[in-house]
Amino acid sequence: MKSLDKIVRSVRAFGRGLSGLPERAAGTASIGIALGGGFARGIAHIGVLKVLEEENIPIAFMAGTSVGALIGAAYCSGVSVADLELIATRVRFKHFARWTLSRYGFASNQRMIGFLSSVLKVKTFEELRIPLAVTATDFSTGAGVVFHSGPLVDPVRASCAYPGMFQPVKVRGHLLVDGMLTHTVPTVPLREMGAEHVLAVHLKGTWTNGDGPRHLFDVIGQCFAIAQEMNCDRWKQAADLVIEPDVKGYKYDDFEHSAALIRAGEAVTRPALPELRKWLPAEPGRASVPKLPVVQPATLPAE
């Protein structure tokens, strides 16, 4: 039996080598965190990372979709939580997007090249301090695309290319759009990377306020939110724990409410800490961690 186990481990390691996926050190906690999309609402991810760091919960792998890819790339490159908080208070739509006339979208995220180049501490996936997966969607085939290697900037731009708003981004010969279409919360890529325990951060919420949609982008966003809620089984099955920061009432461009969004991320993560600690290397005989329900925080008022 021991010989069979050794063969299985060797085959898995060989498979990771072929795919370019990282190998983790034996005996270490294998926790992966999946950061979902949500535009400005994604600032709540910073609050989640802040609590995990304060409580010494180690992150072995990270995967991000859309704004989750942007924040994940920054954090994995070495940007501190304190710096992420500072950036969040200052960033606005104009820093990474520009309105334009195009039949493919109303805005270009070309400015994100300069923004990311100024924020990221490294230029490639291989240089990251934490292994990262960035998701996007192939516009031609509808297939999910997961990046683990090569330059960082263009995959992150593609992951953030929200259809209807941003023009698609061409990467490695493929026209790509937002990863939210195929990986609302990228838990499956984390399993493929080798994560044994997966924390999923889902930015659930409607895009419109009580007065109805303000414009076309609210309509598109609400339709996406509805479709994603109807097709969430796969990514939830790949998660051990799902947390949902309370971002209801915040619009896609509510960057000015960064402090409240960060607090929303903190508020939902702290109640989950006892369960997260069960995933850490423990004494012999500890029972395996069961699947856990969604953790929801108390409602936080918008600023």
Side-chain angles (χ1 to χ4, degrees), residues 91-164:
V91 72
R92 295 294 184 268
F93 182 84
K94 65 181 181 181
H95 292 125
F96 48 78
R98 174 176 57 85
W99 295 113
T100 185
L101 291 176
S102 169
R103 57 183 174 176
Y104 300 123
F106 288 93
S108 165
N109 67 8
Q110 192 77 14
R111 287 181 178 173
M112 193 176 287
I113 297 175
F115 175 78
L116 289 171
S117 297
S118 67
V119 169
L120 299 178
K121 302 291 187 182
V122 300
K123 298 181 182 298
T124 67
F125 282 87
E126 289 81 1
E127 297 173 278
L128 295 171
R129 66 185 182 93
I130 298 173
L132 172 71
V134 168
T135 69
T137 303
D138 189 309
F139 181 77
S140 298
T141 66
V145 178
V146 181
F147 292 93
H148 298 101
S149 62
L152 275 166
V153 171
D154 280 347
V156 173
R157 286 180 60 224
S159 188
C160 295
Y162 196 81

Side-chain angles (χ1 to χ4, degrees), residues 159-193:
S159 188
C160 295
Y162 196 81
M165 175 179 288
F166 292 117
Q167 300 168 11
V169 176
K170 182 169 284 190
V171 184
R172 303 177 191 176
H174 294 268
L175 202 60
L176 305 177
V177 293
D178 201 311
M180 287 180 67
L181 291 169
T182 48
H183 291 285
T184 303
V185 184
T187 55
V188 173
L190 285 176
R191 293 294 186 188
E192 293 171 347
M193 293 170 80

Side-chain angles (χ1 to χ4, degrees), residues 242-263:
V242 179
I243 60 175
E244 296 180 338
D246 186 1
V247 294
K248 296 189 299 293
Y250 293 101
K251 300 183 287 294
Y252 79 94
D253 54 354
D254 269 347
F255 295 99
E256 65 270 20
H257 294 304
S258 61
L261 287 164
I262 291 171
R263 289 199 300 271

Side-chain angles (χ1 to χ4, degrees), residues 38-39 41 162 205-209 217-218 221-222 225 250-252:
F39 218 77
R41 295 172 176 180
Y162 196 81
T206 58
W207 282 61
T208 61
N209 55 33
F217 302 128
D218 277 352
Q222 180 68 349
Y250 293 101
K251 300 183 287 294
Y252 79 94

